[in-house]
Amino acid sequence: MNNYSIDSDSVKFLEKYLNEFSPTGDEREGQKTWINHISSYVEKIQTDLYGTAVGIINPNSPYKLIIEAHVDEISWYVNYITEDGIIYVSRNGGSDHQIAPSKRVIIHTEKGFVHGVFGWPAIHTRKLSEEKSPSVDNIFIDIGVSNKTEAINLGVHVGCIITYPDQFFIMNHNYFVSRSLDNKIGGFIIAEVVKMLIENSINLKFGLYIVNSVQEEVGLKGAKMISQTIQPNMAIVTDVTHDTYSPMINKKIQGEIKCGLGPVIGYAPSIHKNIRELIINTANSKKIHFQRLVSSISTGTDTDAFAYSNKGVLSALISIPLKYMHTTVEMVHKKDVEQAVLLIFETLQAINNNNQFFID
């Protein structure tokens, strides 16, 4: 088995990539960083109308295999500005209203960034018997203006995207912590797989399409579009899933998944048994620790979009355990990331050596 560990150059890429903004519908900055990073490892790069990026090795091969992640992160929209200049919001993806109060925000305008905060009434002013929980209809942003005109003069208008400015850091040597690990950690993983293929001079028999999709958070939209374009034979998707050892999560419902115990191999109708078993056999033969998760009817990931596209695509899902999904302190274990890179790398070699996949 090849050894792999995340080196300092890769951490620098990961940090830059995570810190770039890539809200759903405007993923350009994050995508630019990702494209720049993988461009030296692939023969061709293409993007589609909405911004999904694809790096290709062996673009003329008739058999097409995708490894995929999504680049977009959850955010908010400016939805309503009061006469006093207070801003109310609407979701862009599954943004969590409960974590909003007291968070700093950045409003993206044509005049540049406008800084603000999600305010909340002080504890002294609230009646315990009438406590209100944060919800989309009562959370609000204060940008330090006195009225609506001042807000508009700063460039703020309905439709501006709002993101959190929180940045990447490493906790206790083992955990990567950042907003948007869902699912830029997947984009990092597939970029590292390609780097390993080149550094180990692996000669692939198939066309490899390294896909960083847009708009997953609003319904797998980028994957649906790019699958029509590429017409792949197979797709191995990476995303994140819940660490269920975090407090207040029911393992009977959410499954038993823990950070540090390896990547997660998924079970669901969209996940094809043949490719899943090949991944499991590869993990076992290469002594790569993994976990299993049932997703019932739908995985909620781009796997579903690929599997049911065109005339059907052999699809599988490898997930990374993540704590505190859709917050600004998402956490993944370094070891799980390394094992996921290794598992996909070894799986691609197993597919390369398995002639049944290349029969016309």
Side-chain angles (χ1 to χ4, degrees):
M1 182 180 78
N2 280 276
N3 288 320
Y4 164 76
S5 60
I6 298 170
D7 61 27
S8 58
D9 285 343
S10 294
V11 171
K12 284 176 188 170
F13 159 59
L14 178 61
E15 179 170 12
K16 180 173 171 52
Y17 183 41
L18 287 167
N19 288 347
E20 293 286 4
F21 296 112
S22 55
T24 301
D26 188 8
E27 298 91 345
R28 289 170 299 175
E29 294 307 313
Q31 201 68 294
K32 208 182 295 179
T33 297
W34 187 83
I35 289 169
N36 288 343
H37 182 73
I38 69 154
S39 58
S40 59
Y41 303 118
V42 298
E43 294 170 48
K44 183 180 177 184
I45 288 184
Q46 64 186 48
T47 56
D48 72 5
L49 186 63
Y50 275 84
T52 291
V54 186
I56 311 171
I57 295 173
N58 296 341
N60 298 321
S61 174
Y63 194 92
K64 300 176 182 179
L65 190 155
I66 284 175
I67 55 175
E68 191 260 9
H70 73 83
V71 62
D72 60 312
E73 63 178 302
I74 55 166
S75 58
W76 300 96
Y77 283 115
V78 173
N79 190 50
Y80 171 63
I81 308 171
T82 72
E83 290 305 317
D84 293 327
I86 293 295
I87 294 165
Y88 287 85
V89 298
S90 180
R91 286 190 178 94
N92 185 20
S95 300
D96 190 343
H97 50 276
Q98 289 202 14
I99 70 152
S102 85
K103 293 297 295 179
R104 292 175 55 208
V105 297
I106 290 173
I107 303 177
H108 299 236
T109 81
E110 290 177 9
K111 294 183 177 181
F113 291 153
V114 173
H115 294 266
V117 297
F118 271 112
W120 196 245
I123 191 169
H124 320 68
T125 67
R126 307 194 309 259
K127 288 184 181 179
L128 290 177
S129 60
E130 299 173 7
E131 280 278 27
K132 288 186 177 179
S133 297
S135 63
V136 174
D137 65 358
N138 67 19
I139 58 174
F140 60 89
I141 291 172
D142 188 329
I143 58 170
V145 297
S146 301
N147 53 56
K148 185 175 184 177
T149 302
E150 285 183 32
I152 291 168
N153 287 341
L154 287 173
V156 177
H157 58 74
V158 170
C160 284
I161 283 178
I162 305 158
T163 57
Y164 295 116
D166 302 66
Q167 300 212 325
F168 168 88
F169 67 98
I170 298 174
M171 183 186 289
N172 194 21
H173 307 292
N174 287 318
Y175 278 94
F176 298 144
V177 184
S178 183
R179 56 163 237 285
S180 76
L181 280 165
D182 174 13
N183 178 35
K184 286 182 181 172
I185 198 61
F188 172 79
I189 286 167
I190 58 177
E192 289 292 284
V193 169
V194 178
K195 182 179 166 186
M196 275 191 82
L197 289 169
I198 299 306
E199 289 178 349
N200 288 277
S201 302
I202 306 300
N203 185 24
L204 297 176
K205 297 177 187 173
F206 51 83
L208 181 64
Y209 292 70
I210 307 94
V211 176
N212 216 18
S213 293
V214 298
Q215 299 198 28
E216 187 272 351
E217 296 289 357
V218 291
L220 324 180
K221 301 298 193 338
K224 289 174 183 175
M225 289 185 278
I226 204 66
S227 195
Q228 296 291 334
T229 302
I230 296 172
Q231 303 271 312
N233 301 88
M234 186 187 299
I236 299 173
V237 173
T238 64
D239 210 319
V240 292
T241 192
H242 304 288
D243 174 313
T244 61
Y245 279 76
S246 301
M248 300 189 291
I249 296 178
N250 187 344
K251 296 184 186 68
K252 291 178 184 175
I253 304 298
Q254 300 292 339
E256 188 173 14
I257 300 296
K258 189 171 187 177
C259 285
L261 297 185
V264 179
I265 297 175
Y267 287 72
S270 61
I271 294 168
H272 199 283
K273 179 181 178 181
N274 291 357
I275 182 66
R276 183 185 64 231
E277 293 306 305
L278 183 140
I279 292 169
I280 289 171
N281 292 339
T282 300
N284 286 331
S285 68
K286 300 298 179 180
K287 296 183 171 53
I288 298 170
H289 295 290
F290 67 92
Q291 304 175 77
R292 301 175 201 253
L293 180 69
V294 169
S295 296
S296 192
I297 296 169
S298 164
T299 70
T301 73
D302 284 336
T303 313
D304 303 332
F306 286 110
Y308 302 130
S309 66
N310 308 319
K311 295 178 180 178
V313 175
L314 273 173
S315 298
L317 174 62
I318 298 173
S319 301
I320 299 296
L322 176 135
K323 296 182 179 183
Y324 320 126
M325 194 180 295
H326 286 202
T327 73
T328 57
V329 290
E330 295 179 337
M331 295 171 58
V332 297
H333 200 291
K334 180 172 178 264
K335 198 193 316 181
D336 293 333
V337 177
E338 291 172 339
Q339 292 290 288
V341 172
L342 205 50
L343 179 56
I344 297 171
F345 173 75
E346 295 291 356
T347 297
L348 292 180
Q349 290 193 86
I351 292 166
N352 213 34
N353 297 329
N354 192 332
N355 287 328
Q356 74 176 30
F357 288 111
F358 310 112
I359 298 170
D360 292 330

